[in-house]
Amino acid sequence: MTRVLKYVFYDLLRTRFILVYTLFLWFLTFALFQFDSDAGKVVLSLMNVALLVVPLVSVVFTTIHYFNSYEFIELMLAQPIHRRAVFLSEYLGVASSLVMAFLLGVGMPVALFGAGTAGLALVFSGTMLTLVFVSLAFLSSVLTQDKAKAIGVALLFWFYFSLIYDGILLWVVYTFSDYPLEKITLGLVALNPVDLARIILLLQLDISALMGYTGAFYQKFFGSAAGMLFSSLTLLLWVLLPLWAATRIFQKKDL
Amino acid sequence: MISVDQLNKSFGKLRVLNEVSIAWQAGKSYALIGPNGSGKTTLIKAILGLVIPDTGVIRVDDVPVDARGRYRTKIGYMPQIGRYPDNMTIGQLVEMMKSIRPDVAETDEDLLDAFKLYKLFDKRMRTLSGGTRQKVSAALAFLFHPPILILDEPTAGLDPVASEVLKEKIVNEKRKGRLIVITSHILSDLDELTTDLVYLHEGQVQYQNTVEELKRETREARLTKAIATLIRQRELIHSVTPTP
């Protein structure tokens, strides 16, 4: 498996896209640090990149890569290699190169300029979101037969988690505003990896004070070690569950 | 070597393979023919484990086909359209295939030589023409002395010189007692290369016999004519027998 992975990885690093993506993130982060000396504000600006751009790039790149390497996968499956090994190599190849791009593009400047725990939270949530959305994109790729449909489904995941879910959440909160909703919203937030990442990040920044009572409640929960563990594990589940489902489907898929 | 027992496969409502049973033996070479969409490629893909059959059993050397894929060490496969990672060079591709099968000490590099692929070892796959890719596919299929060779349209897209080189190689391998399966629409090629014939039509094995027997039955000296006559006879039978 490591042998296949090596070549998938090598192929991905050669595509100009990963390079362009890395440079884009690097210039953006660097420029933001030049404009503003307050690291907290920079992290806040970068938060939107990590929550919107990173998942979008992850889903689109992953689906395109999957279908571009369809024949390669076919070639590998005609060799004496386990199906699961081929699939997981593809996953690890795509995930690690996107994570590397993010770490080099955002992580490195953040570390250089010293953004503290907020910076750490940013790098952590960006990395986790990359993994989550690569998993979801692989799931949508094995669920569909052609590239256009797969990108459609993958984009739907992105829309859902970035925009639609928040709308539903707001509606729930607004409709049932007479009831104490803290614990319920906490549960609902766990159902959306983007919201989870957003909360982890916001709580590391000063503006969490603006969130009122709910903010204080979240601060108490996510600020504790148990809360951090809970959110990290939930994000990890968001990586592993779609990947597990995708692997199962791939094992029985006709190529 | 390869036995297929009552294989069924449907894609949605379309029944692609219908109760296909086959017993292929070492030392023979089989022509797998049939019109477009008759299920040839699906059958090959099922043997390679790329397509999962609905029902039926496939055995390669008495080992049932499974996801683990150990049995595929015995198979050299040349796909109809070979596409490879764009950014990989031919050299890296060959090296990768070797690293997947580290237990094969001595590789068969005749075709790499004959197609002069060593000169192109630094070329990226993206820059290659369709014919050159086809040459790479052919060289990879023969690389590990596999006892079973499955060639899907091997000569399509090759220039006449390369096509002759490949055919010569296939004949050589045949003499070594390999099991060879070839699908092709270029029937004149098959005449030189195959000993047996399997004719698929709408997912069913319609005819299975030696080439000599077919020629005798149809009273034709050449395979091209013999197959044309066979197909015409079948169509005639189909047109008079009502389909259930």
Side-chain angles (χ1 to χ4, degrees):
Chain A
M1 181 170 151
T2 46
R3 300 192 191 103
V4 185
L5 176 62
K6 189 179 111 193
Y7 287 96
V8 173
F9 196 56
Y10 191 83
D11 182 48
L12 278 162
L13 287 189
R14 286 263 161 190
T15 55
R16 252 171 241 130
F17 182 82
I18 292 286
L19 191 71
V20 171
Y21 178 55
T22 313
L23 287 178
F24 163 75
L25 290 175
W26 193 82
F27 274 113
L28 189 78
T29 314
F30 209 73
L32 284 172
F33 272 112
Q34 293 297 317
F35 286 140
D36 209 319
S37 52
D38 181 4
K41 279 185 190 164
V42 175
V43 171
L44 195 62
S45 312
L46 283 171
M47 182 183 87
N48 290 315
V49 176
L51 295 182
L52 292 171
V53 179
V54 167
L56 181 65
V57 168
S58 301
V59 287
V60 173
F61 179 74
T62 305
T63 21
I64 290 176
H65 169 80
Y66 177 86
F67 282 93
N68 281 354
S69 46
Y70 202 79
E71 276 79 7
F72 175 69
I73 294 173
E74 211 177 86
L75 175 79
M76 282 299 110
L77 290 184
Q79 309 306 320
I81 309 173
H82 198 295
R83 265 195 180 216
R84 204 190 303 133
V86 175
F87 190 71
L88 290 180
S89 302
E90 284 290 334
Y91 177 82
L92 287 175
V94 175
S96 54
S97 42
L98 282 172
V99 164
M100 214 162 79
F102 183 78
L103 289 181
L104 281 177
V106 175
M108 200 179 68
V110 164
L112 277 179
F113 286 95
T117 44
L120 203 67
L122 174 80
V123 173
F124 173 73
S125 39
T127 308
M128 288 312 273
L129 281 183
T130 305
L131 294 175
V132 169
F133 279 88
V134 170
S135 287
L136 287 170
F138 266 103
L139 181 61
S140 81
S141 299
V142 295
L143 280 174
T144 48
Q145 290 296 339
D146 67 296
K147 202 195 264 184
K149 254 190 221 158
I151 292 181
V153 174
L155 281 179
L156 207 67
F157 277 134
W158 179 75
F159 265 117
Y160 179 75
F161 289 126
S162 301
L163 302 166
I164 301 171
Y165 189 86
D166 287 351
I168 297 171
L169 195 65
L170 273 179
W171 175 80
V172 169
V173 170
Y174 193 74
T175 316
F176 299 101
S177 55
D178 291 344
Y179 302 91
L181 282 173
E182 284 74 30
K183 285 192 176 143
I184 294 165
T185 47
L186 197 68
L188 286 174
V189 160
L191 292 177
N192 183 351
V194 178
D195 279 349
L196 213 54
R198 183 180 287 132
I199 289 174
I200 291 176
L201 258 170
L202 281 178
L203 290 179
Q204 299 299 328
L205 298 165
D206 298 337
I207 52 156
S208 59
L210 296 176
M211 295 203 301
Y213 176 67
T214 320
F217 175 76
Y218 281 177
Q219 183 79 64
K220 190 169 156 250
F221 180 75
F222 285 107
S224 66
M228 281 313 282
L229 197 67
F230 166 81
S231 50
S232 307
L233 282 180
T234 315
L235 273 178
L236 198 65
L237 268 185
W238 269 107
V239 178
L240 294 178
L241 276 182
L243 180 63
W244 174 77
T247 314
R248 284 210 46 157
I249 295 168
F250 184 77
Q251 296 257 45
K252 300 208 164 82
K253 196 176 157 71
D254 297 325
L255 284 151
Chain B
M1 280 297 256
I2 298 180
S3 75
V4 176
D5 198 22
Q6 294 184 320
L7 195 68
N8 284 295
K9 178 69 195 177
S10 302
F11 290 129
K13 277 181 186 165
L14 186 72
R15 194 140 188 212
V16 191
L17 294 176
N18 190 353
E19 296 287 313
V20 172
S21 293
I22 274 167
W24 283 334
Q25 290 149 16
K28 290 194 170 185
S29 59
Y30 296 84
L32 184 59
I33 59 165
N36 296 334
S38 56
K40 300 184 298 278
T41 300
T42 308
L43 177 60
I44 287 178
K45 283 185 168 184
I47 292 169
L48 286 163
L50 296 173
V51 164
I52 315 292
D54 298 336
T55 58
V57 189
I58 304 169
R59 284 196 173 80
V60 174
D61 246 2
D62 295 324
V63 180
V65 166
D66 62 357
R68 217 167 295 131
R70 287 302 308 166
Y71 73 95
R72 289 194 285 257
T73 36
K74 299 192 180 94
I75 301 178
Y77 169 53
M78 179 176 171
Q80 203 166 19
I81 305 156
R83 267 190 56 193
Y84 303 98
D86 277 350
N87 295 303
M88 205 178 261
T89 63
I90 298 182
Q92 287 167 341
L93 186 69
V94 171
E95 197 187 306
M96 178 180 76
M97 299 307 261
K98 283 182 185 171
S99 76
I100 289 169
R101 305 189 195 198
D103 38 329
V104 180
E106 222 167 278
T107 48
D108 177 358
E109 309 201 346
D110 290 0
L111 283 180
L112 288 177
D113 268 332
F115 290 143
K116 299 188 176 68
L117 289 175
Y118 286 116
K119 275 192 206 158
L120 306 172
F121 256 35
D122 300 332
K123 285 256 193 296
R124 299 206 176 282
M125 298 308 290
R126 177 178 7 133
T127 61
L128 301 183
S129 71
T132 314
R133 276 160 196 254
Q134 195 79 350
K135 287 179 188 171
V136 173
S137 300
L140 290 180
F142 287 92
L143 203 57
F144 301 99
H145 307 280
I148 299 169
L149 281 159
I150 298 177
L151 312 169
D152 201 352
E153 303 271 351
T155 53
L158 287 183
D159 62 59
V161 179
S163 179
E164 277 313 308
V165 169
L166 181 57
K167 277 193 263 177
E168 217 168 282
K169 180 70 186 165
I170 296 172
V171 171
N172 277 340
E173 291 301 308
K174 200 173 104 187
R175 283 204 201 103
K176 287 181 196 160
R178 312 253 192 262
L179 163 59
I180 300 172
V181 180
I182 306 174
T183 76
S184 184
H185 290 292
I186 308 167
L187 298 174
S188 55
D189 285 356
L190 294 175
D191 212 349
E192 308 159 39
L193 300 176
T194 56
T195 56
D196 287 64
L197 182 113
V198 176
Y199 179 65
L200 272 181
H201 184 75
E202 289 175 359
Q204 282 179 308
V205 178
Q206 294 277 340
Y207 187 87
Q208 209 172 169
N209 214 331
T210 63
V211 171
E212 278 166 27
E213 191 63 28
L214 171 76
K215 284 178 181 170
R216 201 174 317 132
E217 273 177 31
T218 51
R219 300 207 188 96
E220 299 283 0
R222 286 175 48 218
L223 184 67
T224 328
K225 288 265 173 83
I227 289 168
T229 311
L230 172 75
I231 293 171
R232 236 176 282 130
Q233 282 173 355
R234 298 280 142 174
E235 274 172 0
L236 196 67
I237 295 166
H238 272 291
S239 63
V240 289
T241 47
T243 43

